[in-house]
Amino acid sequence: MAEAKEAIPMATAEVPRSSLTPLEVPMQLHEINRQKLVKYLQQHLTDSGRPIQGIVLLQGGEEKNRYCTDHTELFRQESYFAYLFGVREPSFYGAVDIATGKSILFAPHLPAEYAVWMGQIKPLSHYTERYMVNMVCYVDEMEEVLLNLYKGEDKPLLFLLHGLNTDSGNFSKPAEFKGIENFKTDLSTLHPILTECRVIKSKLELDVIQYATDISSEAHVEVMRNTKVGMKEYQLESMFLHHTYMYGGCRHCSYTCICATGDNSSVLHYGHAAAPNERTFMDGDMALLDMGAEYHFYGSDITCSFPVNGKFTVDQRLIYNAVLGAHNSVIAAMKPGVSWINMHKLAEKVILEALKKGNIITGDIEDMMTQRLGAVFMPHGLGHLLGIDTHDPGGYPKGLERPKEPGLSSLRTARELKEDMVITVEPGCYFISALLIPAMESSETSKFFNPDAIRRFMVFGGVRIESDVYVTSIGCKNMTNVPRETWEIEAVMAGAKWPLEKGVVDHSYNAIRNSHS
């Protein structure tokens, strides 16, 4: 008989708790979005001397299989369609009568075997009630239904979605269906107007974005608190995804998580298939975690940077506080009418001043700004519009040109801020050899660098701090709630609750101050 072995005790980590419950999203949100579109379209047609008539027609997304297999990818609705209708099922169409505001959904005619494999085939009345539209018909009835909206006309007018996404360079796909040749089509009017509708958020949209940001903030804190030297980057990603789904009901992520440590944190879009968050991080590394959950189509986008061992070194504190200073300066200056280009330049200037104070660079700051030295350390734009897409459209409406200077050319918008915009503020400072070496060899910029300091930081990686912010009538509100000050981060990583209690704040701040006195 085999000798009985004593059971090995397992670590019993405290189960993470959440203060949040999944948000109930009213379909009125999408009804308001449709009403806004109708109002803007009616005004545009009136201003253009055109009759207020026609039908907006959008085609929803289709399920896709993985290459030639029968593996169906998890479906996520096309964003413009989601904005207007909130439909989570694939293969729908949606129409809005511009004259009356009446909304119609067209559902796919599902085969009988759907009920065996996929569940109950719901009646059309289910969709009418769930999505708060005036009528629901089948897709194969669409031509007849739309023609009947404007009886007596030779060919009713359809406003179809077709336009350029200035972030991706791709074009929206206009709706297609059998019988479309019996309609007149307009491919130019709808896209810019519907895109502009998405730029300004309603109160209900802000509520959903705030929820997605709240659960993402909470998840970032849990990851920060549970990070230990020797872990894998993907374990941090896994903790974030678990928390937002387990406690927040977020089945989708806004984008592929970036969980970069060490010099990986200087790779701006780390985490892709060729660099899949798999490094084992070591004592002394900084972590840069860019992760955001999506809820009811609306997203969040948060980046936290911190030392994996829970204690900032002098060099880590220098770079981190340079970026935090830029982050805070921008948020303090944001309000309607402010130029986003100027906000980007402000962030650059604050970072350059801190690097100069830390003896990493030297020279006149204004000369550095003229030579675009900031783009060497922060090659990406300061932030982007946020909503149903992580990079929400509308950054460059017709007539607004993209800047051409280094760094500024990467801005995803050059607009002036408007009330109820939601935009990310995400300054960063990175030590990227592909940018630093040419800049140090250039006759125009080599004078700015302290070579010994740059060599010390060449394997540092980078720091990014990103918050989701909405513009108010008099300023802005930071929707994100994570530790930002170095003493806050160190306290949370040592086990303190978040938000910090008053005594913990005072003790942590004094400890940091005394260590530098």
Side-chain angles (χ1 to χ4, degrees):
M1 183 175 179
E3 182 182 353
K5 294 184 178 179
E6 184 178 352
I8 299 174
M10 300 294 290
T12 55
E14 182 183 351
V15 177
R17 299 288 186 227
S18 175
S19 63
L20 301 167
T21 54
L23 180 70
E24 290 290 332
V25 181
M27 287 300 108
Q28 184 188 8
L29 182 156
H30 303 285
E31 185 180 36
I32 291 171
N33 290 346
R34 294 193 296 270
Q35 291 170 353
K36 184 197 294 189
L37 174 63
V38 169
K39 177 183 175 182
Y40 282 20
L41 274 172
Q42 288 181 348
Q43 187 62 54
H44 172 80
L45 293 174
T46 298
D47 293 344
S48 305
R50 298 168 64 183
I52 299 178
Q53 62 182 38
I55 305 161
V56 170
L57 181 67
L58 266 65
Q59 183 174 355
E62 301 284 344
E63 279 189 328
K64 295 181 179 179
N65 283 6
R66 182 183 291 174
Y67 303 113
C68 67
T69 74
D70 62 352
H71 172 88
T72 304
E73 304 284 0
L74 178 62
F75 175 71
R76 197 275 194 182
Q77 187 60 266
E78 193 277 327
S79 292
Y80 283 97
F81 194 83
Y83 175 79
L84 286 183
F85 297 101
V87 173
R88 62 186 180 186
E89 295 90 349
S91 303
F92 272 66
Y93 288 75
V96 181
D97 186 341
I98 295 173
T100 65
K102 180 182 290 186
S103 54
I104 309 171
L105 280 175
F106 297 96
H109 229 140
L110 300 173
E113 57 265 27
Y114 182 98
V116 177
W117 299 100
M118 307 298 284
Q120 178 189 7
I121 297 176
K122 297 179 177 66
L124 296 183
S125 59
H126 165 82
Y127 301 111
T128 306
E129 181 178 350
R130 174 174 176 79
Y131 295 120
M132 292 182 65
V133 293
N134 298 102
M135 184 191 311
V136 180
C137 305
Y138 288 113
V139 169
D140 53 16
E141 301 171 319
M142 185 158 50
E143 179 186 4
E144 179 184 358
V145 171
L146 295 179
L147 286 172
N148 285 338
L149 285 179
Y150 286 92
K151 288 182 179 179
E153 289 200 18
D154 179 30
K155 285 189 175 184
L157 176 62
L158 299 179
F159 290 91
L160 305 181
L161 188 69
H162 180 67
L164 177 68
N165 183 303
T166 57
D167 289 304
S168 68
N170 298 326
F171 283 84
S172 299
K173 176 189 174 184
E176 298 175 346
F177 65 97
K178 184 178 180 181
I180 195 171
E181 65 276 5
N182 295 319
F183 298 82
K184 293 181 290 185
T185 57
D186 180 323
L187 291 172
S188 61
T189 300
L190 178 60
H191 187 272
I193 294 175
L194 183 51
T195 296
E196 194 63 21
C197 287
R198 288 178 59 181
V199 170
I200 306 302
K201 271 56 179 185
S202 69
K203 171 62 168 61
L204 290 177
E205 288 182 289
L206 290 171
D207 288 345
V208 183
I209 296 170
Q210 183 65 72
Y211 173 76
T213 305
D214 284 343
I215 191 65
S216 297
S217 295
E218 197 175 73
H220 269 281
V221 174
E222 284 299 322
V223 173
M224 191 179 293
R225 181 175 287 121
N226 288 283
T227 296
K228 299 290 184 289
V229 171
M231 295 174 72
K232 292 281 192 180
E233 292 166 337
Y234 58 69
Q235 291 177 286
L236 309 184
E237 177 181 17
S238 176
M239 283 191 283
F240 179 87
L241 296 175
H242 170 74
H243 190 93
T244 56
Y245 199 0
M246 178 76 175
Y247 299 104
C250 300
R251 195 175 192 188
H252 290 275
C253 210
S254 296
Y255 50 92
T256 302
C257 292
I258 297 171
C259 295
T261 61
D263 58 1
N264 288 340
S265 57
S266 67
V267 181
L268 301 181
H269 285 170
Y270 185 75
H272 55 83
N277 296 332
E278 63 183 0
R279 177 178 177 269
T280 303
F281 49 81
M282 301 179 292
D283 195 10
D285 282 346
M286 281 289 286
L288 186 160
L289 307 185
D290 189 336
M291 305 181 289
E294 177 183 298
Y295 189 80
H296 190 76
F297 311 117
Y298 287 85
S300 60
D301 189 356
I302 299 172
T303 306
C304 294
S305 297
F306 55 88
V308 300
N309 64 9
K311 292 289 183 181
F312 284 88
T313 66
V314 172
D315 281 348
Q316 288 171 346
R317 195 181 309 278
L318 167 63
I319 303 306
Y320 184 89
N321 282 334
V323 177
L324 182 62
H327 169 273
N328 294 347
S329 296
V330 168
I331 290 177
M334 287 173 62
K335 61 182 179 180
V338 166
S339 162
W340 196 239
I341 294 177
N342 289 342
M343 292 296 94
H344 181 96
K345 290 179 177 178
L346 172 61
E348 284 185 329
K349 188 172 184 179
V350 172
I351 291 170
L352 291 174
E353 287 171 342
L355 295 181
K356 179 180 177 180
K357 187 176 180 180
N359 296 316
I360 296 172
I361 56 176
T362 184
D364 181 72
I365 295 294
E366 292 305 322
D367 191 11
M368 295 178 194
M369 294 292 290
T370 300
Q371 296 295 335
R372 302 298 309 134
L373 190 71
V376 175
F377 294 99
M378 187 174 77
H380 60 73
L382 175 64
H384 50 81
L385 299 173
L386 175 70
I388 284 187
D389 290 311
T390 308
H391 299 151
D392 230 22
Y396 287 95
K398 186 176 181 181
L400 183 62
E401 295 295 325
R402 184 184 291 271
K404 295 181 172 55
E405 300 95 326
L408 300 179
S409 62
S410 297
L411 280 167
R412 296 187 183 273
T413 184
R415 297 178 65 139
E416 291 185 353
L417 297 179
K418 289 185 177 182
E419 184 178 355
D420 292 330
M421 277 183 173
V422 177
I423 195 164
T424 66
V425 176
E426 51 178 307
C429 181
Y430 315 88
F431 294 86
I432 304 171
S433 58
L435 296 177
L436 280 169
I437 292 172
M440 293 177 71
E441 293 175 348
S442 167
S443 59
E444 295 180 336
T445 54
S446 59
K447 61 184 178 182
F448 296 124
F449 296 96
N450 179 341
D452 290 338
I454 294 296
R455 277 191 289 272
R456 187 170 89 248
F457 279 92
M458 198 61 87
V459 295
F460 177 90
V463 167
R464 180 162 65 253
I465 299 173
E466 180 179 16
S467 295
D468 302 337
V469 179
Y470 85 80
V471 183
T472 68
S473 60
I474 58 172
C476 69
K477 178 180 183 259
N478 188 349
M479 306 173 84
T480 311
N481 181 20
V482 294
R484 288 304 193 198
E485 299 292 343
T486 54
W487 63 83
E488 294 175 334
I489 291 170
E490 291 184 350
V492 167
M493 295 188 74
K497 293 181 179 180
W498 179 257
L500 298 181
E501 297 172 355
K502 180 67 165 61
V504 176
V505 174
D506 293 340
H507 175 78
S508 300
Y509 176 77
N510 288 331
I512 295 295
R513 184 180 61 182
N514 292 337
S515 69
H516 288 272
S517 60

